[in-house]
Amino acid sequence: VFPSDPAFRAAFALAPDVAPLNHGSYGAVPRAVSRAQDELRGAFEADPVAFMEDLGPRLRAAASAVAPSLSLRGEEVVFVENATSGVCAVLGSHPWRPGDRVVTTNHAYGAVRLALDVTARRFGLVVDVVDVPFPLHDGGVVVDAVCRHLPGAAMLVIDAITSPTAVVFPIPDLLREARARGVPVLVDAAHAPGHLSPDESGVTADYWVGNLHKWSFAPRGTAVLTASSRWRSTLRPTVVSHGYEEGWICAFDGLGTRDPTAWLTAPVALSWRDAWGEAHLRAGNHARARVVAAMLSERWRQPIPTSTSVMGAMAIVAPPRPVGAQRAPVLHAALRRRGVQVPCTVFGGRTWIRVSAQAYVSADDVEKLASVMEDALAEIGV
Ligand SMILES: Cc1ncc(COP(=O)(O)O)c(C=O)c1O
């Protein structure tokens, strides 16, 4: 049993009858942060033109407010809607040469993998997928596997925290190895802000994108993209708009008409998070993930596939009996019907249960998952 804080849970609008075990996919926005965004929307609607006319400096102020939490300066970051847009901006504007080889792993996020394949077709690249084993107990295995593919590579595209397997990759070690071989690195740090420290997530990589709408409580559609000075002159968004020829900041900031209130609310979200204590939340979530993994492993008699050294705030365990990859969506639906919201991920041809141990998760929520599983499996005929 782990401690949970009802006051933290009460800060969110989460439905009381659903065990909220999937913070990782879309985050959850505290009521106070939603209120701040509502106020901004009110100001926007009061005089839409004035709001848009003032937007440039306000976006820069928001960038300057969030950058220090990533050990960056405001002029080193731009906002993008999500990790996917950031990755696509990098892949679409990097100065590729035909035949370049891009290294990634079999744990990469599906949409990013697809973006790599599409980019490869467009620029004549080769996508080189490193097989990183799972279960995984030692980050050194990731480094060894990736290093074998680095010589001569044009880029390494690597996750800070993997989506299907909830593994924290040893990004600082991978950055060091890639640098030693002159290979630029794009870190897909979708889950990192509020989950890992800036160093652990590799913000000093050639390119780095992280969502603030997952573990940092910002309204959805808020991610930060940064690049080392070497690449800023070529980095551009996928959409061409007024600022395109005026440097990377103008190109990203001045991109057509859209609702910027999520980005402008990001500083409020970070202040809300920091009032609870960012390091305190991170440490608590990690401790909770360890307990969740142990609870489910014991109840379902399954080994924990990740050691604590590669575990962040998410626990991953296999269900009590093997569930084929194709059955993951029906298992998810069966669990949801029983009041449990948890992702059934797919890796290695089988289904895994990934639990986000966000601070609003109670032991009762995890107990509910553990106990409805048999019934859910029976419903789907496993
Ligand atoms: C590793 C990884 N990359 C990219 C994404 C995509 O994030 P977004 O939907 O915010 O673009 C996710 C989402 O969970 C992810 O886990």
Side-chain angles (χ1 to χ4, degrees), residues 1-6 9 19-21 288-289 291-293 295-296 299 340 355-371:
V1 176
F2 49 79
S4 59
D5 186 344
R9 175 86 159 239
L21 303 178
R288 205 170 294 107
V291 178
V292 170
M295 277 171 80
L296 296 178
R299 288 291 293 276
V340 176
V355 176
S356 288
Q358 185 52 277
Y360 54 64
V361 169
S362 70
D364 286 350
D365 295 323
V366 182
E367 177 54 37
K368 190 171 178 185
L369 165 64
S371 57

Side-chain angles (χ1 to χ4, degrees), residues 24-25 82-84 109 112 159 161-163 188 190-191 211 213-214:
S25 284
N82 45 54
T84 309
Y109 186 68
V112 169
D159 298 339
I161 299 169
T162 63
S163 173
D188 173 358
H191 281 273
N211 284 323
H213 58 219
K214 289 188 189 285

Side-chain angles (χ1 to χ4, degrees), residues 157-173:
V157 178
I158 191 89
D159 298 339
I161 299 169
T162 63
S163 173
T165 47
V167 172
V168 178
F169 274 175
I171 294 296
D173 296 342

Side-chain angles (χ1 to χ4, degrees), residues 219-286:
R220 284 169 206 92
T222 309
V224 164
L225 172 66
T226 185
S228 66
S229 51
R230 180 174 173 200
W231 304 112
R232 288 178 201 156
S233 62
T234 46
L235 179 56
R236 288 294 180 276
T238 47
V239 175
V240 179
S241 189
H242 298 295
Y244 201 81
E245 305 283 24
E246 292 159 39
W248 74 297
I249 301 254
C250 286
F252 281 93
D253 281 7
L255 200 158
T257 306
R258 52 192 167 170
D259 181 352
T261 57
W263 299 351
L264 298 177
T265 308
V268 177
L270 295 196
S271 301
W272 184 90
R273 182 195 73 183
D274 295 347
W276 288 90
E278 195 228 348
H280 170 74
L281 285 174
R282 272 199 275 131
N285 290 350
H286 175 65

